[in-house]
Amino acid sequence: MNQLDQLKSLTTVVADTGNFLQLAQFAPRDATTNPSLILKAVQSADYAPLLTDTVAAHQGLALDEIVDRVLVRFGLEILKVVPGRVSTEVDARLSFDKAATLARARRIIGLYEAAGISRERVLIKIASTWEGIQAARELELEGIHCNLTLLFSFCQAVACGEAGIQLISPFVGRIYDWYKKSAGAAWDETAMSGANDPGVKSVAQIFNYYKKHAIKTEVMGASFRNVGQIQALAGCDLLTISPDLLAQLQQLASALPLALDAAAAKLLDLPEVSFDEAGFRFALNQDAMATEKLAEGIRLFAVDSAKLDQMIVS
Protein backbone atom coordinates (compact mmCIF):
# COMPACT_ATOMS: atom_id res chain seq x y z
CA MET A 1 0.00 0.00 0.00
CA ASN A 2 1.09 3.57 -0.51
CA GLN A 3 1.47 5.75 2.56
CA LEU A 4 -1.92 7.40 2.15
CA ASP A 5 -3.61 4.00 2.27
CA GLN A 6 -1.45 2.99 5.23
CA LEU A 7 -2.31 6.24 7.01
CA LYS A 8 -6.01 5.53 6.56
CA SER A 9 -5.55 2.27 8.48
CA LEU A 10 -4.09 4.20 11.44
CA THR A 11 -5.88 7.55 11.34
CA THR A 12 -9.03 9.07 9.89
CA VAL A 13 -7.89 11.08 6.87
CA VAL A 14 -9.62 14.40 6.21
CA ALA A 15 -9.16 16.63 3.18
CA ASP A 16 -8.38 20.28 3.93
CA THR A 17 -9.81 22.05 0.89
CA GLY A 18 -12.69 23.93 -0.65
CA ASN A 19 -11.91 22.22 -3.96
CA PHE A 20 -14.49 19.43 -3.87
CA LEU A 21 -13.72 18.39 -7.45
CA GLN A 22 -10.38 17.06 -6.19
CA LEU A 23 -11.78 15.03 -3.32
CA ALA A 24 -12.76 11.78 -5.00
CA GLN A 25 -9.19 10.82 -5.96
CA PHE A 26 -8.13 10.78 -2.30
CA ALA A 27 -11.30 9.25 -0.79
CA PRO A 28 -11.11 11.09 2.56
CA ARG A 29 -13.78 10.42 5.17
CA ASP A 30 -14.32 14.08 6.09
CA ALA A 31 -13.40 17.49 4.71
CA THR A 32 -12.61 20.84 6.31
CA THR A 33 -12.90 24.35 4.93
CA ASN A 34 -12.03 27.83 6.14
CA PRO A 35 -12.55 31.38 4.80
CA SER A 36 -9.20 31.37 2.99
CA LEU A 37 -9.91 28.08 1.20
CA ILE A 38 -13.40 29.19 0.16
CA LEU A 39 -12.08 32.55 -1.06
CA LYS A 40 -9.43 30.77 -3.15
CA ALA A 41 -12.03 28.41 -4.59
CA VAL A 42 -14.55 31.06 -5.67
CA GLN A 43 -11.82 32.90 -7.54
CA SER A 44 -11.43 29.94 -9.90
CA ALA A 45 -13.57 29.33 -12.97
CA ASP A 46 -14.70 25.95 -11.64
CA TYR A 47 -16.31 27.40 -8.55
CA ALA A 48 -17.20 31.01 -9.37
CA PRO A 49 -20.72 29.96 -10.51
CA LEU A 50 -21.48 28.63 -7.02
CA LEU A 51 -20.88 32.10 -5.64
CA THR A 52 -22.79 34.00 -8.34
CA ASP A 53 -25.72 31.58 -8.32
CA THR A 54 -26.05 31.62 -4.53
CA VAL A 55 -25.82 35.40 -4.35
CA ALA A 56 -28.37 35.81 -7.15
CA ALA A 57 -30.81 33.43 -5.45
CA HIS A 58 -30.71 35.36 -2.18
CA GLN A 59 -30.72 39.02 -3.20
CA GLY A 60 -32.15 41.19 -0.46
CA LEU A 61 -30.84 39.15 2.45
CA ALA A 62 -28.31 40.61 4.86
CA LEU A 63 -24.71 40.22 3.71
CA ASP A 64 -23.76 37.92 6.58
CA GLU A 65 -26.63 35.56 5.76
CA ILE A 66 -25.62 35.43 2.10
CA VAL A 67 -22.07 34.58 3.18
CA ASP A 68 -23.36 31.73 5.33
CA ARG A 69 -25.40 30.43 2.41
CA VAL A 70 -22.28 30.46 0.22
CA LEU A 71 -20.32 28.52 2.84
CA VAL A 72 -23.13 26.00 3.25
CA ARG A 73 -23.42 25.63 -0.54
CA PHE A 74 -19.78 24.54 -0.63
CA GLY A 75 -20.40 22.24 2.31
CA LEU A 76 -23.34 20.60 0.56
CA GLU A 77 -21.22 19.92 -2.52
CA ILE A 78 -18.45 18.46 -0.36
CA LEU A 79 -20.94 16.18 1.43
CA LYS A 80 -21.89 14.68 -1.93
CA VAL A 81 -18.31 13.38 -2.16
CA VAL A 82 -17.25 12.52 1.40
CA PRO A 83 -19.16 9.95 3.47
CA GLY A 84 -18.53 11.69 6.79
CA ARG A 85 -18.52 15.28 8.00
CA VAL A 86 -17.76 18.73 6.69
CA SER A 87 -16.41 21.56 8.84
CA THR A 88 -17.86 25.02 8.14
CA GLU A 89 -16.41 28.07 9.86
CA VAL A 90 -18.09 30.89 11.74
CA ASP A 91 -16.82 34.33 10.70
CA ALA A 92 -13.48 34.90 12.45
CA ARG A 93 -14.48 38.51 13.14
CA LEU A 94 -16.82 37.09 15.80
CA SER A 95 -14.03 35.26 17.64
CA PHE A 96 -14.50 37.34 20.80
CA ASP A 97 -18.29 37.57 20.67
CA LYS A 98 -19.94 34.54 22.25
CA ALA A 99 -23.53 35.57 21.51
CA ALA A 100 -22.86 36.35 17.85
CA THR A 101 -20.91 33.10 17.43
CA LEU A 102 -23.87 31.15 18.84
CA ALA A 103 -26.29 32.89 16.48
CA ARG A 104 -24.18 32.24 13.38
CA ALA A 105 -23.51 28.62 14.32
CA ARG A 106 -27.22 27.94 14.83
CA ARG A 107 -28.04 29.58 11.50
CA ILE A 108 -25.42 27.53 9.64
CA ILE A 109 -26.79 24.31 11.13
CA GLY A 110 -30.32 25.44 10.26
CA LEU A 111 -29.31 25.95 6.64
CA TYR A 112 -27.79 22.47 6.45
CA GLU A 113 -30.84 20.90 8.04
CA ALA A 114 -33.14 22.78 5.66
CA ALA A 115 -31.15 21.17 2.83
CA GLY A 116 -31.72 17.72 4.31
CA ILE A 117 -28.34 17.27 6.05
CA SER A 118 -28.40 16.03 9.63
CA ARG A 119 -26.34 17.96 12.15
CA GLU A 120 -24.22 14.86 12.81
CA ARG A 121 -22.57 15.45 9.43
CA VAL A 122 -21.54 19.03 10.17
CA LEU A 123 -18.86 20.46 12.45
CA ILE A 124 -19.03 24.18 13.20
CA LYS A 125 -15.52 25.64 13.17
CA ILE A 126 -14.86 28.26 15.82
CA ALA A 127 -11.60 29.93 16.86
CA SER A 128 -10.21 28.62 20.16
CA THR A 129 -10.59 31.85 22.10
CA TRP A 130 -12.16 31.69 25.56
CA GLU A 131 -15.37 33.11 24.09
CA GLY A 132 -15.30 30.62 21.24
CA ILE A 133 -14.80 27.68 23.57
CA GLN A 134 -17.68 28.76 25.79
CA ALA A 135 -19.96 29.22 22.78
CA ALA A 136 -19.02 25.74 21.62
CA ARG A 137 -19.78 24.34 25.08
CA GLU A 138 -23.38 25.56 24.69
CA LEU A 139 -23.66 24.34 21.11
CA GLU A 140 -22.50 20.85 22.05
CA LEU A 141 -25.30 20.68 24.63
CA GLU A 142 -27.72 21.40 21.77
CA GLY A 143 -26.29 18.59 19.66
CA ILE A 144 -24.42 21.02 17.40
CA HIS A 145 -20.92 19.59 17.19
CA CYS A 146 -17.91 21.85 16.91
CA ASN A 147 -14.38 21.90 15.54
CA LEU A 148 -12.26 24.32 17.57
CA THR A 149 -9.66 25.73 15.24
CA LEU A 150 -6.62 28.02 15.51
CA LEU A 151 -5.44 25.92 18.44
CA PHE A 152 -1.79 26.36 19.33
CA SER A 153 -1.46 25.74 23.06
CA PHE A 154 -2.01 23.07 25.68
CA CYS A 155 -4.30 25.33 27.71
CA GLN A 156 -6.62 25.75 24.70
CA ALA A 157 -6.79 21.97 24.33
CA VAL A 158 -7.48 21.41 28.03
CA ALA A 159 -10.28 23.99 28.00
CA CYS A 160 -11.84 22.36 24.94
CA GLY A 161 -11.72 18.96 26.60
CA GLU A 162 -13.35 20.35 29.72
CA ALA A 163 -16.06 21.96 27.60
CA GLY A 164 -16.98 18.67 25.94
CA ILE A 165 -16.04 19.80 22.44
CA GLN A 166 -16.38 17.19 19.69
CA LEU A 167 -13.08 17.92 17.92
CA ILE A 168 -10.06 20.22 18.02
CA SER A 169 -7.65 21.20 15.25
CA PRO A 170 -4.16 21.91 16.61
CA PHE A 171 -2.14 23.69 13.93
CA VAL A 172 1.13 21.85 13.36
CA GLY A 173 2.55 23.90 10.51
CA ARG A 174 1.95 27.32 11.98
CA ILE A 175 3.65 26.29 15.24
CA TYR A 176 6.60 25.02 13.17
CA ASP A 177 6.66 28.32 11.25
CA TRP A 178 6.88 30.37 14.45
CA TYR A 179 9.73 28.40 15.98
CA LYS A 180 11.67 28.30 12.71
CA LYS A 181 11.34 32.06 12.27
CA SER A 182 12.23 32.67 15.92
CA ALA A 183 15.38 30.55 15.67
CA GLY A 184 16.56 32.23 12.49
CA ALA A 185 19.97 31.06 11.32
CA ALA A 186 20.25 28.73 14.32
CA TRP A 187 17.39 26.55 13.06
CA ASP A 188 18.47 22.97 12.32
CA GLU A 189 15.87 21.46 10.00
CA THR A 190 17.11 17.90 10.41
CA ALA A 191 17.27 18.04 14.19
CA MET A 192 13.83 19.67 14.41
CA SER A 193 12.00 17.24 12.11
CA GLY A 194 9.80 14.23 12.80
CA ALA A 195 8.97 13.72 16.48
CA ASN A 196 11.16 16.73 17.37
CA ASP A 197 9.15 19.13 15.22
CA PRO A 198 7.61 21.65 17.66
CA GLY A 199 4.21 21.41 15.99
CA VAL A 200 4.30 17.61 16.12
CA LYS A 201 5.34 17.74 19.79
CA SER A 202 2.38 19.99 20.60
CA VAL A 203 -0.14 17.61 19.03
CA ALA A 204 1.48 14.57 20.63
CA GLN A 205 1.27 16.23 24.07
CA ILE A 206 -2.45 16.94 23.58
CA PHE A 207 -3.18 13.48 22.18
CA ASN A 208 -1.41 11.73 25.06
CA TYR A 209 -3.13 13.90 27.67
CA TYR A 210 -6.57 13.27 26.21
CA LYS A 211 -6.04 9.51 26.03
CA LYS A 212 -4.50 9.34 29.52
CA HIS A 213 -7.53 11.06 31.04
CA ALA A 214 -10.18 9.49 28.77
CA ILE A 215 -11.19 12.85 27.28
CA LYS A 216 -13.52 12.13 24.39
CA THR A 217 -12.67 15.20 22.31
CA GLU A 218 -11.18 14.12 18.97
CA VAL A 219 -7.71 15.40 18.05
CA MET A 220 -7.28 16.37 14.40
CA GLY A 221 -3.81 17.58 13.48
CA ALA A 222 -3.98 20.38 10.89
CA SER A 223 -1.88 22.87 8.93
CA PHE A 224 0.94 20.70 7.63
CA ARG A 225 4.03 21.95 5.85
CA ASN A 226 5.49 18.59 4.78
CA VAL A 227 4.75 14.86 4.79
CA GLY A 228 7.26 14.31 7.60
CA GLN A 229 4.92 16.10 10.01
CA ILE A 230 2.06 13.86 8.91
CA GLN A 231 4.14 10.69 9.22
CA ALA A 232 5.17 11.69 12.74
CA LEU A 233 1.50 11.89 13.78
CA ALA A 234 0.28 8.59 12.29
CA GLY A 235 -2.17 7.22 14.83
CA CYS A 236 -3.67 10.59 15.75
CA ASP A 237 -7.49 10.47 15.79
CA LEU A 238 -7.72 12.46 12.56
CA LEU A 239 -5.39 14.45 10.30
CA THR A 240 -6.68 17.10 7.89
CA ILE A 241 -4.35 17.33 4.90
CA SER A 242 -4.14 19.53 1.81
CA PRO A 243 -4.59 17.91 -1.63
CA ASP A 244 -0.91 18.55 -2.48
CA LEU A 245 0.30 16.58 0.55
CA LEU A 246 -2.32 13.86 0.05
CA ALA A 247 -0.91 13.40 -3.46
CA GLN A 248 2.64 13.18 -2.10
CA LEU A 249 1.59 10.47 0.36
CA GLN A 250 0.04 8.52 -2.51
CA GLN A 251 3.43 8.46 -4.21
CA LEU A 252 5.30 7.01 -1.22
CA ALA A 253 5.54 3.22 -0.94
CA SER A 254 7.68 2.77 2.18
CA ALA A 255 6.24 1.46 5.44
CA LEU A 256 4.45 3.96 7.69
CA PRO A 257 4.83 3.05 11.38
CA LEU A 258 2.42 4.00 14.15
CA ALA A 259 3.66 7.17 15.86
CA LEU A 260 0.91 7.99 18.39
CA ASP A 261 -0.52 5.15 20.47
CA ALA A 262 -3.60 5.65 22.66
CA ALA A 263 -2.88 2.51 24.69
CA ALA A 264 0.67 3.63 25.44
CA ALA A 265 -0.58 7.09 26.43
CA LYS A 266 -2.70 5.60 29.21
CA LEU A 267 0.51 4.42 30.91
CA LEU A 268 2.13 7.86 30.97
CA ASP A 269 2.44 9.98 34.13
CA LEU A 270 0.46 13.06 33.07
CA PRO A 271 -1.23 14.96 35.92
CA GLU A 272 -4.71 16.29 35.21
CA VAL A 273 -5.01 20.07 35.00
CA SER A 274 -7.89 22.54 34.74
CA PHE A 275 -8.31 26.16 33.67
CA ASP A 276 -10.91 28.71 34.68
CA GLU A 277 -11.15 31.87 32.58
CA ALA A 278 -8.42 33.75 34.44
CA GLY A 279 -6.11 30.75 34.41
CA PHE A 280 -6.74 30.16 30.71
CA ARG A 281 -6.03 33.74 29.76
CA PHE A 282 -2.84 33.83 31.81
CA ALA A 283 -1.57 30.49 30.46
CA LEU A 284 -2.22 31.65 26.89
CA ASN A 285 -0.53 34.97 27.64
CA GLN A 286 2.56 33.13 28.90
CA ASP A 287 2.87 31.25 25.58
CA ALA A 288 4.23 33.82 23.15
CA MET A 289 3.92 31.51 20.16
CA ALA A 290 0.29 30.63 20.83
CA THR A 291 -0.69 34.23 21.60
CA GLU A 292 0.88 35.51 18.40
CA LYS A 293 -0.36 32.73 16.13
CA LEU A 294 -3.93 32.86 17.47
CA ALA A 295 -4.10 36.61 16.90
CA GLU A 296 -2.47 36.31 13.48
CA GLY A 297 -4.80 33.48 12.44
CA ILE A 298 -7.90 35.45 13.39
CA ARG A 299 -6.60 38.50 11.53
CA LEU A 300 -5.83 36.52 8.36
CA PHE A 301 -9.19 34.74 8.33
CA ALA A 302 -10.91 38.08 8.99
CA VAL A 303 -9.15 39.64 6.01
CA ASP A 304 -10.26 36.82 3.72
CA SER A 305 -13.81 36.98 5.09
CA ALA A 306 -13.86 40.70 4.24
CA LYS A 307 -12.62 39.91 0.71
CA LEU A 308 -15.42 37.39 0.27
CA ASP A 309 -17.89 40.02 1.48
CA GLN A 310 -16.55 42.40 -1.14
CA MET A 311 -16.91 39.83 -3.92
CA ILE A 312 -20.56 39.35 -2.93
CA VAL A 313 -21.49 43.04 -2.85
CA SER A 314 -19.54 44.05 -5.96
Side-chain angles (χ1 to χ4, degrees), residues 55-98:
V55 172
H58 300 289
Q59 290 289 343
L61 294 180
L63 176 60
D64 61 321
E65 184 169 351
I66 296 175
V67 169
D68 285 348
R69 289 179 179 274
V70 171
L71 300 180
V72 170
R73 178 71 185 278
F74 269 85
L76 293 172
E77 294 298 327
I78 288 169
L79 288 173
K80 293 177 183 177
V81 184
V82 301
R85 304 170 296 190
V86 67
S87 291
T88 297
E89 191 147 351
V90 168
D91 193 324
R93 291 169 290 189
L94 305 178
S95 294
F96 302 100
D97 188 333
K98 176 184 170 184

Coordinates of all heavy atoms in Angstrom, one line a residue, residues 55-98:
V55 N -25.5 34.0 -4.6 CA -25.8 35.4 -4.4 C -27.1 35.8 -5.1 O -28.0 36.5 -4.5 CB -24.6 36.3 -4.8 CG1 -25.0 37.7 -4.7 CG2 -23.4 36.0 -3.9
A56 N -27.2 35.4 -6.3 CA -28.4 35.8 -7.1 C -29.7 35.3 -6.6 O -30.7 35.9 -6.6 CB -28.2 35.3 -8.6
A57 N -29.6 34.1 -6.0 CA -30.8 33.4 -5.4 C -31.3 34.0 -4.1 O -32.4 33.8 -3.7 CB -30.6 31.9 -5.3
H58 N -30.4 34.8 -3.5 CA -30.7 35.4 -2.2 C -30.5 36.9 -2.1 O -30.2 37.4 -1.0 CB -29.9 34.6 -1.1 CG -30.1 33.2 -1.1 ND1 -31.3 32.6 -0.6 CD2 -29.3 32.1 -1.5 CE1 -31.2 31.3 -0.8 NE2 -30.0 31.0 -1.3
Q59 N -30.8 37.6 -3.2 CA -30.7 39.0 -3.2 C -31.7 39.6 -2.2 O -32.8 39.1 -2.0 CB -31.1 39.6 -4.6 CG -30.0 39.3 -5.6 CD -28.8 40.1 -5.5 OE1 -28.8 41.1 -4.8 NE2 -27.7 39.7 -6.1
G60 N -31.3 40.6 -1.4 CA -32.2 41.2 -0.5 C -31.9 40.7 1.0 O -32.3 41.4 1.9
L61 N -31.2 39.6 1.1 CA -30.8 39.2 2.5 C -29.7 40.0 3.0 O -28.9 40.6 2.2 CB -30.5 37.7 2.4 CG -31.6 36.7 2.1 CD1 -31.0 35.2 2.2 CD2 -32.7 36.8 3.1
A62 N -29.5 39.9 4.3 CA -28.3 40.6 4.9 C -27.0 39.9 4.4 O -27.0 38.7 4.1 CB -28.4 40.5 6.4
L63 N -26.0 40.7 4.2 CA -24.7 40.2 3.7 C -24.2 39.0 4.5 O -23.8 38.0 3.9 CB -23.6 41.3 3.7 CG -22.2 40.9 3.3 CD1 -22.2 40.4 1.9 CD2 -21.3 42.1 3.5
D64 N -24.3 39.0 5.8 CA -23.8 37.9 6.6 C -24.5 36.6 6.3 O -24.0 35.5 6.3 CB -23.7 38.3 8.1 CG -25.1 38.6 8.7 OD1 -25.9 39.2 8.0 OD2 -25.3 38.2 9.8
E65 N -25.8 36.8 6.0 CA -26.6 35.6 5.8 C -26.3 35.0 4.4 O -26.2 33.8 4.2 CB -28.1 35.8 5.9 CG -28.9 34.6 5.6 CD -30.4 34.7 6.0 OE1 -30.8 35.7 6.6 OE2 -31.2 33.8 5.7
I66 N -26.0 35.9 3.4 CA -25.6 35.4 2.1 C -24.3 34.7 2.2 O -24.1 33.6 1.6 CB -25.5 36.6 1.1 CG1 -26.9 37.2 0.9 CG2 -24.9 36.1 -0.2 CD1 -26.9 38.5 0.0
V67 N -23.4 35.2 3.0 CA -22.1 34.6 3.2 C -22.3 33.2 3.7 O -21.7 32.2 3.2 CB -21.2 35.4 4.1 CG1 -19.9 34.6 4.5 CG2 -20.8 36.7 3.5
D68 N -23.1 33.0 4.8 CA -23.4 31.7 5.3 C -24.0 30.8 4.3 O -23.6 29.6 4.3 CB -24.3 31.8 6.5 CG -23.6 32.4 7.8 OD1 -22.3 32.5 7.8 OD2 -24.3 32.7 8.8
R69 N -24.8 31.3 3.5 CA -25.4 30.4 2.4 C -24.4 30.0 1.4 O -24.4 28.9 0.9 CB -26.6 31.2 1.7 CG -27.8 31.3 2.7 CD -28.9 32.0 2.0 NE -30.1 32.1 2.9 CZ -31.0 31.2 3.0 NH1 -31.0 30.1 2.2 NH2 -32.0 31.3 3.8
V70 N -23.4 30.9 1.1 CA -22.3 30.5 0.2 C -21.4 29.4 0.9 O -21.1 28.3 0.2 CB -21.4 31.7 -0.1 CG1 -20.1 31.2 -0.9 CG2 -22.2 32.7 -1.0
L71 N -21.1 29.5 2.1 CA -20.3 28.5 2.8 C -21.0 27.2 2.9 O -20.4 26.1 2.7 CB -20.0 29.0 4.3 CG -19.2 30.3 4.4 CD1 -19.0 30.6 5.9 CD2 -17.9 30.2 3.7
V72 N -22.3 27.2 3.2 CA -23.1 26.0 3.2 C -23.3 25.4 1.9 O -23.2 24.1 1.7 CB -24.5 26.3 3.9 CG1 -25.4 25.1 3.7 CG2 -24.3 26.7 5.3
R73 N -23.4 26.2 0.8 CA -23.4 25.6 -0.5 C -22.2 24.8 -0.8 O -22.3 23.7 -1.4 CB -23.6 26.8 -1.5 CG -23.6 26.3 -3.0 CD -24.8 25.6 -3.4 NE -24.8 25.1 -4.8 CZ -25.0 25.8 -5.9 NH1 -25.4 27.1 -5.8 NH2 -25.0 25.2 -7.0
F74 N -21.0 25.3 -0.5 CA -19.8 24.5 -0.6 C -19.8 23.3 0.2 O -19.4 22.2 -0.2 CB -18.6 25.4 -0.2 CG -18.0 26.1 -1.4 CD1 -18.4 27.4 -1.8 CD2 -16.9 25.6 -2.1 CE1 -17.9 28.0 -2.9 CE2 -16.4 26.2 -3.2 CZ -16.9 27.5 -3.6
G75 N -20.3 23.4 1.4 CA -20.4 22.2 2.3 C -21.3 21.2 1.7 O -21.0 20.0 1.8
L76 N -22.4 21.6 1.1 CA -23.3 20.6 0.6 C -22.7 19.9 -0.6 O -22.9 18.6 -0.8 CB -24.6 21.3 0.1 CG -25.5 21.9 1.2 CD1 -26.6 22.8 0.6 CD2 -26.1 20.8 2.1
E77 N -21.9 20.6 -1.4 CA -21.2 19.9 -2.5 C -20.2 18.9 -2.0 O -20.0 17.8 -2.5 CB -20.6 21.0 -3.4 CG -21.6 21.9 -4.2 CD -22.5 21.1 -5.1 OE1 -22.0 20.1 -5.7 OE2 -23.6 21.5 -5.3
I78 N -19.5 19.3 -1.0 CA -18.5 18.5 -0.4 C -19.1 17.2 0.2 O -18.6 16.1 0.0 CB -17.7 19.2 0.7 CG1 -16.7 20.3 0.1 CG2 -16.9 18.3 1.6 CD1 -16.1 21.2 1.1
L79 N -20.3 17.3 0.8 CA -20.9 16.2 1.4 C -21.5 15.2 0.4 O -21.8 14.1 0.7 CB -22.1 16.7 2.4 CG -21.6 17.3 3.7 CD1 -22.8 17.9 4.4 CD2 -20.8 16.3 4.5
K80 N -21.5 15.6 -0.9 CA -21.9 14.7 -1.9 C -20.7 13.7 -2.2 O -20.9 12.7 -2.8 CB -22.3 15.4 -3.2 CG -23.5 16.3 -3.1 CD -23.8 17.0 -4.4 CE -25.0 17.9 -4.3 NZ -25.2 18.7 -5.5
V81 N -19.5 14.1 -1.8 CA -18.3 13.4 -2.2 C -17.8 12.6 -1.0 O -17.3 11.4 -1.1 CB -17.2 14.3 -2.7 CG1 -16.0 13.5 -3.2 CG2 -17.8 15.2 -3.8
V82 N -17.8 13.2 0.2 CA -17.2 12.5 1.4 C -18.4 11.8 2.2 O -19.5 12.3 2.2 CB -16.5 13.5 2.3 CG1 -15.4 14.2 1.6 CG2 -17.4 14.5 3.0
P83 N -18.1 10.7 2.7 CA -19.2 10.0 3.5 C -19.4 10.5 4.9 O -20.4 10.1 5.5 CB -18.6 8.5 3.5 CG -17.1 8.7 3.5 CD -16.9 9.9 2.6
G84 N -18.5 11.3 5.4 CA -18.5 11.7 6.8 C -19.0 13.1 7.0 O -20.1 13.5 6.6
R85 N -18.1 13.9 7.6 CA -18.5 15.3 8.0 C -17.8 16.4 7.2 O -16.7 16.2 6.7 CB -18.2 15.5 9.5 CG -18.8 14.4 10.4 CD -18.3 14.5 11.8 NE -16.8 14.2 11.9 CZ -16.2 14.0 13.0 NH1 -16.8 14.1 14.2 NH2 -14.9 13.7 13.0
V86 N -18.4 17.5 7.2 CA -17.8 18.7 6.7 C -17.7 19.8 7.8 O -18.6 19.9 8.6 CB -18.5 19.3 5.5 CG1 -19.9 19.9 5.8 CG2 -17.7 20.4 4.8
S87 N -16.6 20.5 7.9 CA -16.4 21.6 8.8 C -16.6 22.9 8.1 O -16.0 23.2 7.1 CB -15.0 21.6 9.5 OG -14.8 20.5 10.3
T88 N -17.5 23.7 8.7 CA -17.9 25.0 8.1 C -17.6 26.1 9.2 O -18.1 25.9 10.3 CB -19.3 25.0 7.7 OG1 -19.5 24.1 6.6 CG2 -19.7 26.4 7.1
E89 N -16.9 27.1 8.9 CA -16.4 28.1 9.9 C -17.3 29.3 10.1 O -17.8 29.9 9.1 CB -15.0 28.5 9.4 CG -14.3 29.3 10.5 CD -12.8 29.0 10.4 OE1 -12.3 28.2 9.7 OE2 -12.0 29.7 11.2
V90 N -17.4 29.6 11.4 CA -18.1 30.9 11.7 C -17.1 32.0 11.4 O -15.9 31.9 11.6 CB -18.5 30.9 13.2 CG1 -18.9 32.2 13.7 CG2 -19.6 29.9 13.5
D91 N -17.6 33.2 11.0 CA -16.8 34.3 10.7 C -15.8 34.6 11.8 O -16.2 34.8 13.0 CB -17.8 35.5 10.5 CG -17.1 36.7 9.9 OD1 -15.9 37.0 10.2 OD2 -17.8 37.4 9.1
A92 N -14.5 34.7 11.5 CA -13.5 34.9 12.5 C -13.6 36.3 13.1 O -13.1 36.4 14.2 CB -12.1 34.8 11.8
R93 N -14.3 37.2 12.5 CA -14.5 38.5 13.1 C -15.4 38.4 14.4 O -15.5 39.4 15.1 CB -15.0 39.5 12.1 CG -14.0 39.8 11.0 CD -14.7 40.6 9.8 NE -15.6 39.7 9.1 CZ -16.1 40.0 7.9 NH1 -15.8 41.2 7.4 NH2 -16.9 39.2 7.3
L94 N -16.0 37.3 14.6 CA -16.8 37.1 15.8 C -16.1 36.3 16.9 O -16.7 35.8 17.8 CB -18.1 36.4 15.4 CG -18.9 37.0 14.3 CD1 -20.1 36.2 14.0 CD2 -19.3 38.4 14.6
S95 N -14.8 36.1 16.8 CA -14.0 35.3 17.6 C -14.1 35.6 19.1 O -13.8 34.8 20.0 CB -12.6 35.2 17.2 OG -12.4 34.6 15.9
F96 N -14.4 36.9 19.4 CA -14.5 37.3 20.8 C -15.9 37.7 21.2 O -16.1 38.4 22.2 CB -13.5 38.5 21.0 CG -12.1 38.2 20.7 CD1 -11.6 38.5 19.5 CD2 -11.3 37.4 21.6 CE1 -10.3 38.2 19.1 CE2 -10.0 37.1 21.2 CZ -9.5 37.5 20.0
D97 N -16.9 37.3 20.4 CA -18.3 37.6 20.7 C -19.1 36.3 20.8 O -19.4 35.7 19.8 CB -18.8 38.4 19.5 CG -20.2 39.0 19.8 OD1 -21.0 38.3 20.5 OD2 -20.6 40.0 19.2
K98 N -19.3 35.8 22.0 CA -19.9 34.5 22.2 C -21.4 34.5 21.7 O -21.8 33.6 21.0 CB -20.0 34.2 23.7 CG -20.7 33.0 24.1 CD -20.8 32.8 25.6 CE -21.7 31.7 26.0 NZ -21.9 31.5 27.5

